[in-house]
Amino acid sequence: MSNAEEVKKALVQAADAARFAPSIHNTQPWRWVVRDGRLELYGVAERQLTEQDPEGRMLLLSCGTALHHAQVALDAEGWRYEITRPESPENGPIAVIRPADRAAISPDATRHFQMLQVRRTDRRTVSDEAVPDDVVSSLVKAAEEAGARLHVLGRDQVLELAAAVDQAQKAQDTDDRLRAETAEWVGGDRPEGTGIPASALPEELPLTTVAERDFQVRGTLAAGDGHDRGATYAVLYGTGDDAVDWLRAGEALSRLWLAAAEQAVSLLPLSGPVEIPSTRVALRRMLGGTGHPFLALRLGSLDPTHSAPPHTPRLPAGQVIEIAD
Ligand SMILES: Cc1cc2nc3c(=O)[nH]c(=O)nc-3n(C[C@H](O)[C@H](O)[C@H](O)COP(=O)(O)O)c2cc1C
């Protein structure tokens, strides 16, 4: 195989592996183009939640997780590469990956790649056993290595988060257009390859201090009768609020989610309070005004008494990957 063919094959494989990435409501709002030895990433406006996410922040976070997944796939094949993230992409790609040469494959890279298929959103209650401090520290480090920060909330701040989550949920519940949009993406069995199936949602919302997002759909997942006493709550944040910062935040989210999966820690994103301007301000205050909140997260030890939710569906490769040459 020529070098050009090898690069092309690796890029197609990387884009394919990125299909496993998490996204808001499983919208998978990305498209890849393999062209002239590079992999271009585009956001897809048709799969943006225009009511819930009019500014496209959650879309960019989601594209960032896909971008990181592609990097993990290239790392696992020993590729070295450069990434550019144009500041004002307009109609162009939001990121471009250009492979350079090969290096030795590290055991970390292989493990991270395996985690792409293990990671999932787990809305079951977590066990009462707290996530050990050294594991939380390793997740803080993983976020920092990916260019973001993780602020772990103390007890009082958990109550503030609970209030912000509650306020955001109420604001969203009383918005008819938003409810209609959610209903398009959530519930049922999702044969079209997008959205959140009933099998990934709890039969009943668990009674927790910080509420899970109420999608207004009854699921079929046995969520467990636990609480969130053992959970650790955190806010993923950064110093910038531009499009490129949200894209990078998505890369950090993927990085730390894979690290969590590797250590049997369940991670549940809580994006409601970031989506509503007033509660986003409340989260910002919790950071002492020093950063821009990207996402609130629940971290917990897995409760082994119930089986894990099945994987959510994904769009076929042909619908998200274009080979232009
Ligand atoms: C930016 C972002 C925000 C999310 N927000 C929430 C949320 O508020 N509540 C929730 O239950 N899941 C949330 N999720 C999880 C997605 O619903 C989940 O990633 C998607 O359905 C795909 O399922 P999977 O993660 O199991 O592969 C979010 C995911 C991302 C990437």
Side-chain angles (χ1 to χ4, degrees), residues 126-127 129 131 230-232 264-267 298-302:
V126 294
S127 94
E129 215 161 288
V131 181
T232 297
V265 170
S266 104
L267 182 156
R298 183 192 76 182
L299 304 166
S301 302
L302 288 176

Side-chain angles (χ1 to χ4, degrees), residues 29-50:
W30 51 75
R31 186 170 68 87
W32 297 98
V33 179
V34 180
R35 193 192 331 254
D36 293 337
R38 57 183 197 269
L39 183 59
E40 301 172 348
L41 172 64
Y42 296 82
V44 175
E46 300 83 71
R47 290 200 294 281
Q48 177 176 349
L49 302 173
T50 48

Side-chain angles (χ1 to χ4, degrees), residues 187-322:
D189 59 1
R190 319 304 308 174
E192 60 278 30
T194 55
I196 309 178
S199 56
L201 296 169
E203 285 169 340
E204 270 178 64
L205 273 190
L207 284 173
T208 46
T209 304
V210 181
E212 294 189 7
R213 185 191 280 268
D214 185 353
F215 290 96
Q216 309 277 350
V217 170
R218 186 172 262 266
T220 57
L221 180 73
D225 49 11
H227 198 261
D228 59 349
R229 273 183 291 266
T232 297
Y233 286 93
V235 176
L236 182 70
Y237 74 102
T239 48
D241 191 22
D242 294 328
V244 71
D245 299 307
W246 287 86
L247 182 71
R248 278 186 172 279
E251 294 177 67
L253 172 65
S254 167
R255 169 83 178 77
L256 86 93
W257 206 333
L258 297 179
E262 214 177 305
Q263 300 175 85
V265 170
S266 104
L267 182 156
L268 179 64
L270 304 164
S271 51
V274 180
E275 291 157 13
I276 302 291
S278 59
T279 48
R280 192 162 66 242
V281 170
L283 289 193
R284 189 147 195 226
R285 272 201 303 269
M286 287 162 66
L287 301 171
T290 56
H292 296 279
F294 299 129
L295 208 55
L297 305 173
R298 183 192 76 182
L299 304 166
S301 302
L302 288 176
D303 183 344
T305 47
H306 291 280
S307 52
H311 284 292
T312 49
R314 290 296 184 270
L315 288 166
Q319 227 169 300
V320 288
I321 307 170
E322 180 191 333

Side-chain angles (χ1 to χ4, degrees), residues 90-164:
E90 280 145 24
N91 295 327
I94 53 177
V96 181
I97 305 181
R98 289 185 182 78
D101 51 9
R102 310 287 284 263
I105 301 171
S106 74
D108 277 359
T110 308
R111 264 203 331 275
H112 291 160
F113 183 69
Q114 286 163 350
M115 287 304 126
L116 297 189
Q117 291 184 53
V118 171
R119 183 218 60 80
R120 70 192 76 183
T121 302
D122 193 339
R123 301 181 180 87
R124 292 173 298 163
T125 52
V126 294
S127 94
D128 282 348
E129 215 161 288
V131 181
D133 287 349
D134 59 329
V135 174
V136 174
S137 303
S138 75
L139 298 178
V140 170
K141 194 161 155 244
E144 279 172 9
E145 280 168 4
R149 299 281 171 82
L150 195 63
H151 172 71
V152 178
L153 305 188
R155 221 180 148 62
D156 289 351
Q157 287 199 323
V158 170
L159 299 179
E160 282 180 53
L161 175 65

